[in-house]
């Protein structure tokens, strides 16, 4: 190991040359960043740069491996139905959690080189959580195993670049095989099984997620909130909710609740501003004849137009309400088009030259029920044309798959949910804050796993899918070059680690379990909960194919990068100053 022990200095000296009363400065000996500047007498400045520790070859690799092992061991305790919890000592009340990514993010090691290794596993867990929402523990264990076996090969003299190529090609071949072997979700039982397994075999959570998906559909949105009671409940917000309330409280039809409530109402949708009464007089006359309530959604309703609507509403001539259009700019137009498709209305867009005064009754939408409060509006409509609605949802899904923005993704998912059925809110209750945090994390995992399974199908759980995938490696290996085959061997052995650890956490010999599972068919595996070897798909022990795929790809990606490193550079630890040491001694030996 080489270490930069020297403290380099920068002296800034005043030049004897003077121009126009200002001084020219000479700078000698520039050194690296993070400089601490101290003022010296007579216009001198001393800059001290922080030193670095550099480790090469085996020393760097063993330091990183040590950090990786520490983090993976802590995370691995939670794997499987008989996995244990981990206590995190954070601000306030300590957390007792069973969630891999939460544990990984909480771990910071005192040794900088070991911490660099742990940070790599944190990256695997976080990336898997972002892309699949579950499977973070499996990804961490896979990454640790691939790195450990890979470093052994590299230390023995293998070419790390060839090993990395072999790993990448093998993983790609296995991902293709996984796509062929996965099967789509078949009904409510599969959804319940997926959610139960992901929530740590909590059947009540599995049942709750299945109920929620039944109510909002596969395109709906499940949001998770804390409840003020001990009970965990599901509230389904049916229809489309808009974050705009009535323009005037004079439109209220239910004075007790301060709500506007319409049934079988007509809906006018426009992005224009309505201020002159002559613009809407023809339309008001026609809707009055129909004796149907009217909701106006416009950029704004002001002046004599608003005054006329309010006066006629109070006199009982019209049953009408007006709200401002939701959103801003291009997003406003998109939301208005969504409402138009939902209600079967024709969107009266100014840039298309469609004037409100020319609007006919047939161009209005129909809503079965409308509820308007002072700050929100809910429209429940039986979509006039299902085909248009489905094509709109398909278009939004395509936009969602192509966007990189987190904000845009959230808004698009929200729009899809509103069009397709609604939003289910799971209000999580518990006796203590510690239990509440753990329960929320379990429900979050179950929710993510359920939607991942709906998206890409399911495979046998309990690590069995990875064990069976290892039997396909020899066929892939034949297509690789000689040096790349080491990478295939590493993946083949690493795929067995999650199943072995699940068995180990259940108190059974992992290697024995792996050999028995490997000898069976694709759906055959070990059920750690019941301690039986059986058809896992029939037993309800299943995993989303997307979670398994993301765990394998992310683990291989980070592991491949670690294998090709030769040195590690970290900040050198500063020795304790005399004052700090004295303070520590004064505090009774406790570090401060």
């Amino acid at each position: 190991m080489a270490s930069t022990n020297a403290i380099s200095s920068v002296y800034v000296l005043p030049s004897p040359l003077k121009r126009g009363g200002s001084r020219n400065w000479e700078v000698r000996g520039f050194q690296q960043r993070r400089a601490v500047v101290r003022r010296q007498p007579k216009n001198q400045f001393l800059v001290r740069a922080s030193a670095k520790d550099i480790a090469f070859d085996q020393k760097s690799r063993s330091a990183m491996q040590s950090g990786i092992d520490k983090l993976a061991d802590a995370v691995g305790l939670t794997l499987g139905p008989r996995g244990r919890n981990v206590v995190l000592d954070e601000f306030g009340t300590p957390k007792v959690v069973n969630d891999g990514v939460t544990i990984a993010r909480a771990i910071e090691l005192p040794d900088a080189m070991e911490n660099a290794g742990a940070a790599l596993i944190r990256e695997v867990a976080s990336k898997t959580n972002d892309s699949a929402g579950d499977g973070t523990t499996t990804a961490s264990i896979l990454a640790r195993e691939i790195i450990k076996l890979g470093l052994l090969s590299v230390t023995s003299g293998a070419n790390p670049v060839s090993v990395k190529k072999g790993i990448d090609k093998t993983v790609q071949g296995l991902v293709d095989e996984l796509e062929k072997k996965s099967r789509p979700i078949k009904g409510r039982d599969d959804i319940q099984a997926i959610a139960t397994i992901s929530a740590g075999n909590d059947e009540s959570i599995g049942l709750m997620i299945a109920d929620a998906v039944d109510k909002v559909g596969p395109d709906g949105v499940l949001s998770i909130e804390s409840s003020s009671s001990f009970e965990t409940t599901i509230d389904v917000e049916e229809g489309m909710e808009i974050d705009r309330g009535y323009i005037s409280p004079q439109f209220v039809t239910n004075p007790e609740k301060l709500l506007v409530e319409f049934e079988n109402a007509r809906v006018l949708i426009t992005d224009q501003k309505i201020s002159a009464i002559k613009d809407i007089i023809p339309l008001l006359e026609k809707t009055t004849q129909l004796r149907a309530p009217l909701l106006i959604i416009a950029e704004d309703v002001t002046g004599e137009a608003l005054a006329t609507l309010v006066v006629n509403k109070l006199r009982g001539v019209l049953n009408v309400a007006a709200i401002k259009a939701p959103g801003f700019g291009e997003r406003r137009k998109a939301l208005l088009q969504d409402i138009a498709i939902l209600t079967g209305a024709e969107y009266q867009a100014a840039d298309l030259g469609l004037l409100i005064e020319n609007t006919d009754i047939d161009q209005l939408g129909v809503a079965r029920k409308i509820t308007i409060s002072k700050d929100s509006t809910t429209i429940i409509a039986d979509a006039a044309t299902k085909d248009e609605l489905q094509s709109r949802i398909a278009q939004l899904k395509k936009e969602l798959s192509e966007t990189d923005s987190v904000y845009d993704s959230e808004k698009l998912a929200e729009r899809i949910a509103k069009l397709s059925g609604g939003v289910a809110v799971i209000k999580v209750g518990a006796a203590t804050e510690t239990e509440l945090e753990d329960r929320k994390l379990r429900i979050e995992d179950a929710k993510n796993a359920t939607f991942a399974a709906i998206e890409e199908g399911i495979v046998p759980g309990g690590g069995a899918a990875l064990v069976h995938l290892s039997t396909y490696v020899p066929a892939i290996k034949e297509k690789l070059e000689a040096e790349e085959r080491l990478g295939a061997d590493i993946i083949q052995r690493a795929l067995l680690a999650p199943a072995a650890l699940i068995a180990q956490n259940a108190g059974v010999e992992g290697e024995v379990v792996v050999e028995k599972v490997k000898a069976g068919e694709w759906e055959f595996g070990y059920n750690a909960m019941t301690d039986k070897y059986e058809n896992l798909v029939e037993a309800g022990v299943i995993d989303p194919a997307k979670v398994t795929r993301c765990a394998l790809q992310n683990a291989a990606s980070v592991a491949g990068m670690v294998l090709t490193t030769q040195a590690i550079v970290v900040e050198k630890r500063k020795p304790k100053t005399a004052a700090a040491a004295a303070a520590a001694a004064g505090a009774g030996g406790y570090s401060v």
Side-chain angles (χ1 to χ4, degrees), residues 134 183-202 205-207 209-210 213 442-443 445-454 457-461 537 539-548:
D134 195 18
R183 73 162 177 80
I185 286 272
K186 292 178 182 174
R188 179 191 167 90
D189 290 345
D190 280 352
I191 289 174
Q192 188 175 337
I194 279 282
T196 301
I197 295 293
S198 294
N201 276 73
D202 190 327
I205 292 175
L207 189 63
I209 296 288
V213 172
R442 286 174 185 267
I443 292 174
D445 278 351
K447 178 196 87 168
N448 292 333
T450 301
F451 285 109
I454 290 168
I458 54 172
V459 293
V537 175
V541 182
I542 48 181
D543 282 340
K546 183 178 182 180
V547 168
T548 306

Side-chain angles (χ1 to χ4, degrees), residues 203-224:
E203 290 186 4
S204 64
I205 292 175
L207 189 63
M208 195 184 305
I209 296 288
D211 286 342
V213 172
D214 269 355
K215 289 173 181 174
V216 300
D219 296 318
V221 166
L222 301 186
S223 68
I224 297 163

Side-chain angles (χ1 to χ4, degrees), residues 221 240-241 243 327-328 331 334-335 338 396-397 399-400 403 405-419:
V221 166
M240 178 181 280
E241 187 172 336
D243 57 350
F328 302 94
R331 188 166 165 264
L335 286 169
D338 288 350
L396 292 175
K397 282 183 178 176
E399 286 180 34
L400 181 61
T403 185
S405 163
V406 175
Y407 177 79
D408 287 347
S409 298
E410 287 176 2
K411 293 300 175 188
L412 286 167
E414 196 179 289
R415 284 172 60 195
I416 291 167
K418 285 175 177 177
L419 283 172

Side-chain angles (χ1 to χ4, degrees), residues 246 248-260 313:
Y246 40 69
S248 168
Q250 304 297 338
F251 292 132
V252 166
T253 61
N254 186 336
E256 289 179 9
K257 297 181 180 177
L258 291 176
L259 296 176
V260 178
K313 165 73 177 65

Side-chain angles (χ1 to χ4, degrees), residues 13 33 41 46 54 74 102 194 202 221 227 234 257 319 327 393 406 428 443 475-476 522 545 551 560 562 589 591:
L13 303 173
R33 62 186 179 82
L46 179 65
I54 309 174
T102 307
I194 279 282
D202 190 327
V221 166
S227 171
I234 302 174
K257 297 181 180 177
N319 200 3
I393 291 170
V406 175
V428 185
I443 292 174
I476 298 169
W522 171 253
V562 173
S591 58

Side-chain angles (χ1 to χ4, degrees), residues 384-538:
T385 52
K386 290 284 182 187
D387 292 342
E388 272 190 41
L389 192 63
Q390 291 305 320
S391 63
R392 182 69 167 178
I393 291 170
Q395 178 194 337
L396 292 175
K397 282 183 178 176
K398 189 170 185 296
E399 286 180 34
L400 181 61
S401 65
E402 290 172 357
T403 185
D404 294 327
S405 163
V406 175
Y407 177 79
D408 287 347
S409 298
E410 287 176 2
K411 293 300 175 188
L412 286 167
E414 196 179 289
R415 284 172 60 195
I416 291 167
K418 285 175 177 177
L419 283 172
S420 58
V423 177
V425 180
I426 299 175
K427 295 187 176 177
V428 185
T432 62
E433 190 68 27
T434 305
E435 186 189 352
L436 179 67
E437 285 297 323
D438 178 52
R439 198 163 174 79
K440 278 174 78 174
L441 287 171
R442 286 174 185 267
I443 292 174
E444 185 74 35
D445 278 351
K447 178 196 87 168
N448 292 333
T450 301
F451 285 109
I454 290 168
E455 195 177 333
E456 291 189 19
I458 54 172
V459 293
L466 294 171
V467 172
H468 292 308
L469 279 179
S470 70
T471 60
Y472 293 93
V473 173
I476 298 169
K477 188 176 168 183
E478 289 175 8
K479 302 172 188 174
L480 304 179
E481 294 175 15
E483 283 194 319
E484 292 175 354
R485 290 180 180 180
L486 271 174
D489 290 335
I490 288 165
I491 292 293
Q492 187 172 8
R493 290 173 62 191
L495 288 171
L496 311 178
L501 186 56
I502 288 170
Q504 193 177 312
N505 285 345
V508 184
E509 187 60 46
E511 289 181 9
V512 175
V513 168
V514 164
E515 289 306 315
K516 283 188 180 179
V517 172
K518 204 191 288 186
E521 296 295 320
W522 171 253
E523 294 182 352
F524 178 80
Y526 173 66
N527 187 342
M529 195 67 189
T530 58
D531 194 24
K532 289 179 183 175
Y533 295 92
E534 58 189 336
N535 185 313
L536 295 180
V537 175
E538 289 178 4

Side-chain angles (χ1 to χ4, degrees), residues 320-341:
V320 67
I323 65 170
K324 291 183 180 181
F328 302 94
E330 290 302 315
R331 188 166 165 264
R332 169 176 286 176
K333 292 180 181 178
L335 286 169
L336 289 174
Q337 285 169 348
D338 288 350
I339 300 167
I341 288 169

